[in-house]
Amino acid sequence: MQAVSAVVALLVGFVPAPKAAPVFTDSFGNIPGWNRHGVVVAKSLPWESTLMQDPTLVYATGGGPKFKMWYGSLTNIGYATSDDGEHWTKKTDPVVSQTLPTEGGALNQPSVVYRNGTWHMTYFGVGTDGVGRVHYAEATDPAGPWRKFGVVLDITEAWEDNWIYNSSLLYDAQERVWKMWYTAGKIASAGGEPEFICYATATNPRGPWTKSPANPLIRPMNDGGWASLGIGGPNVRKMADGTYQMVVVGWQDDYPSRGGRLTSPDGIRWNLDRSTMTLDLGVAGGVEDSMIYRQFPVNVNGADWVWYNTKNHRPGWNETINLAKWSPSVPIIDPSKWAMAQGPDIPNGASFEVRNGKAQSLGNAPAGHLQTLQGNRLVKARDYSVAAEVTPMETTPAERDNVLLARYTDRRNYYYAGIASWGNKYAIGKLVDGANTKLTGVGSDTETSAGTTYRLRLEVKGTTVSLYDNGRLVASATDSSLQPAASYVGLQTTASTGHAAFDNVSVTTP
């Protein structure tokens, strides 16, 4: 039958164009991802600060309790043990404290490896001179005492900006070499967070360590995405197949940090892009709604668990150590496809959650803030369409303002089109260098209704921007401001208190 149809088409002089394959789709069903279990370690001892940071673990090794954790608390390193990974018993006193001039400003960020009866630790120290360096210590008991050997990795390059830290220590038994991944440089606009990830090797963990000529191995993406401004917090493990896996922390140009996971064939060549994000911010108002910090993964009975420190929006600066477990099926926004982004002035944004198989904006943003899912999959074309089913839930017309985003390069540059925008039933607009401009509008927002599903499609083709509803062209505008060769899409509830559901997203190229 298909062959006959093709012959008939040729006879009449018409061959239908092949249907374009989607660049990506999302129906917001359950996906493999991190299932958050909340806070497992918080401040409880007199010596601890409100910053409980950078956990490192050894699992089912070295005898004693199954889980052993070392963690930093700004000026000391603590030790805790657990039989289940969730309930922890802390050693009352810190196991490593400030005793050297090179750690007089700060001491934290441990990384621990057990080998041949010895516990090996690298950690971060800030000297009384304000310089950050990597230090080394070792012990025969995980609870100490720890014998310090001082600085093992110091500043040698101007771009390191007197600040090298976040060390991840690994012994490669196959190659018989010690390996360390670490960060260097400081992001001035983000409070001195790390900018680059680097690499060094040694035959003895006490040193000398040789920095890789390829440094910095990983640089920020500089594309407005989740690791646009800086990349840091590495923790590396070598997998059974000989490849390497690294969990990282990325900083966006608006300051928030989120978690990602990279892979490498040799520990030197790594691929970083928006789709490698794996752990987004938590729900606004929760314990993970400001920053996701350094993660440490452990394979527990065939499944990955990850411990990480996080900052929330409670008064003051508070960090806790939280736990998440990898699940084959969990109802979450896919972090490889979307990042929650509520405007250029995060923190204090809003949230999306998967509810009833749809991505729902929760309407919990402060006044004047947008609620946005920023795309993490690059569309390598100037011309394309983004379609989605959009269901507003608000009784007030102005709060039904929901739009699709296209040619999105950063939060200050994109086209948008949708319903109840600019007081119209349908409208198209643009954000160019942060300036918001209406391009066209049709009808009144009072013509929209809560609970009605609008099957919208935003098409950008050359200088034409078009909006369709249920396959019917409802608005069109001509504009040449934004013509990137590659860009991202997005979903947005414009009203800070608006609630809406998005489903069946599809991005296609001609």
Side-chain angles (χ1 to χ4, degrees):
M1 182 63 71
Q2 290 179 346
V4 173
S5 299
V7 170
V8 172
L10 287 171
L11 289 174
V12 299
F14 170 75
V15 178
K19 190 174 182 180
V23 176
F24 80 86
T25 61
D26 199 345
S27 58
F28 301 103
N30 288 12
I31 64 165
W34 292 115
N35 187 7
R36 303 175 199 240
H37 286 245
V39 178
V40 295
V41 178
K43 172 181 169 57
S44 62
L45 298 175
W47 65 266
E48 294 173 337
S49 73
T50 59
L51 308 183
M52 306 294 288
Q53 302 174 311
D54 302 314
T56 183
L57 288 89
V58 172
Y59 171 66
T61 301
K66 186 173 291 186
F67 294 87
K68 303 174 181 66
M69 177 194 292
W70 297 260
Y71 60 94
S73 190
L74 196 58
T75 56
N76 295 277
I77 292 172
Y79 175 65
T81 59
S82 173
D83 288 324
D84 62 7
E86 299 190 41
H87 303 89
W88 293 87
T89 300
K90 297 176 181 176
K91 188 179 186 328
T92 304
D93 298 318
V95 294
V96 181
S97 298
Q98 295 166 297
T99 60
L100 304 175
T102 53
E103 54 194 31
L107 185 155
N108 55 10
Q109 301 174 356
S111 180
V112 177
V113 170
Y114 178 72
R115 173 168 167 76
N116 294 337
T118 300
W119 301 87
H120 305 268
M121 177 191 293
T122 53
Y123 63 93
F124 174 51
V126 179
T128 53
D129 57 0
V131 177
R133 305 171 176 92
V134 175
H135 296 62
Y136 172 76
E138 59 187 43
T140 56
D141 187 306
W146 287 84
R147 180 188 176 192
K148 294 182 178 179
F149 290 84
V151 174
V152 292
L153 209 59
D154 209 338
I155 307 300
T156 56
E157 304 292 337
W159 55 264
E160 293 172 332
D161 202 9
N162 287 330
W163 208 252
I164 55 176
Y165 55 138
N166 284 154
S167 60
S168 173
L169 184 65
L170 181 147
Y171 179 72
D172 191 320
Q174 184 178 8
E175 298 180 22
R176 297 182 180 181
V177 64
W178 288 88
K179 300 180 177 181
M180 185 199 304
W181 292 262
Y182 60 98
T183 60
K186 291 185 291 185
I187 309 168
S189 63
E193 300 289 6
E195 188 172 8
F196 308 110
I197 292 179
C198 305
Y199 175 62
T201 58
T203 56
N204 188 317
R206 299 178 185 178
W209 285 85
T210 301
K211 296 179 180 180
S212 171
N215 286 340
L217 295 189
I218 309 175
R219 300 170 182 264
M221 296 185 294
N222 294 314
D223 70 346
W226 67 276
S228 183
L229 199 63
I231 184 74
N235 270 311
V236 180
R237 54 182 175 168
K238 192 172 184 179
M239 311 305 285
D241 62 1
T243 61
Y244 294 78
Q245 186 184 96
M246 176 191 292
V247 290
V248 296
V249 180
W251 279 264
Q252 198 161 359
D253 54 2
D254 55 16
Y255 198 106
S257 54
R258 304 171 173 92
R261 180 169 53 193
L262 317 180
T263 58
S264 171
D266 55 11
I268 298 175
R269 294 170 292 162
W270 301 88
N271 179 50
L272 171 68
D273 61 38
R274 287 195 185 185
S275 68
T276 55
M277 191 180 87
T278 56
L279 193 60
D280 201 353
L281 299 175
V283 174
V287 295
E288 304 180 19
D289 66 350
S290 179
M291 305 283 175
I292 299 295
Y293 282 120
R294 199 171 183 192
Q295 311 149 77
F296 195 96
V298 173
N299 189 277
V300 180
N301 298 324
D304 271 357
W305 296 12
V306 65
W307 291 260
Y308 54 102
N309 55 311
T310 181
K311 177 185 180 293
N312 58 42
H313 282 134
R314 307 301 76 72
W317 192 289
N318 303 283
E319 294 180 31
T320 56
I321 295 174
N322 294 15
L323 171 65
K325 299 179 182 180
W326 191 261
S327 170
S329 179
V330 61
I332 61 173
I333 301 293
D334 189 341
S336 74
K337 293 180 179 178
W338 310 101
M340 287 193 289
Q342 299 82 13
D345 47 353
I346 277 184
N348 301 321
S351 306
F352 282 77
E353 283 187 333
V354 171
R355 296 183 178 179
N356 302 315
K358 299 179 180 181
Q360 293 196 17
S361 51
L362 303 186
N364 55 4
H369 288 235
L370 308 174
Q371 302 177 77
T372 306
L373 284 182
Q374 172 184 276
N376 279 341
R377 296 290 178 92
L378 183 64
V379 183
K380 298 179 180 179
R382 183 190 64 166
D383 300 339
Y384 59 86
S385 296
V386 52
E389 297 174 2
V390 182
T391 308
M393 300 177 182
E394 299 296 337
T395 57
T396 303
E399 292 192 333
R400 298 178 197 144
D401 187 344
N402 291 278
V403 296
L404 311 182
L405 313 182
R407 291 185 182 166
Y408 187 124
T409 51
D410 58 49
R411 295 184 188 181
R412 294 171 56 82
N413 294 279
Y414 55 83
Y415 288 115
Y416 61 89
I419 58 169
S421 183
W422 293 97
N424 298 118
K425 180 178 182 179
Y426 303 107
I428 298 173
K430 65 179 180 178
L431 205 69
V432 178
D433 292 331
N436 190 13
T437 304
K438 179 181 178 180
L439 295 176
T440 189
V442 176
S444 169
D445 58 7
T446 59
E447 299 175 54
T448 63
S449 57
T452 297
T453 297
Y454 298 84
R455 292 170 173 82
L456 303 179
R457 179 166 63 90
L458 168 57
E459 180 183 86
V460 285
K461 186 176 182 180
T463 59
T464 302
V465 184
S466 305
L467 176 65
Y468 295 80
D469 183 4
N470 204 27
R472 179 175 64 92
L473 179 66
V474 294
S476 183
T478 300
D479 186 80
S480 60
S481 302
L482 304 172
Q483 301 287 316
S487 60
Y488 299 87
V489 301
L491 310 174
Q492 186 176 96
T493 296
T494 305
S496 61
T497 56
H499 293 75
F502 296 83
D503 200 8
N504 296 321
V505 178
S506 178
V507 179
T508 56
T509 54

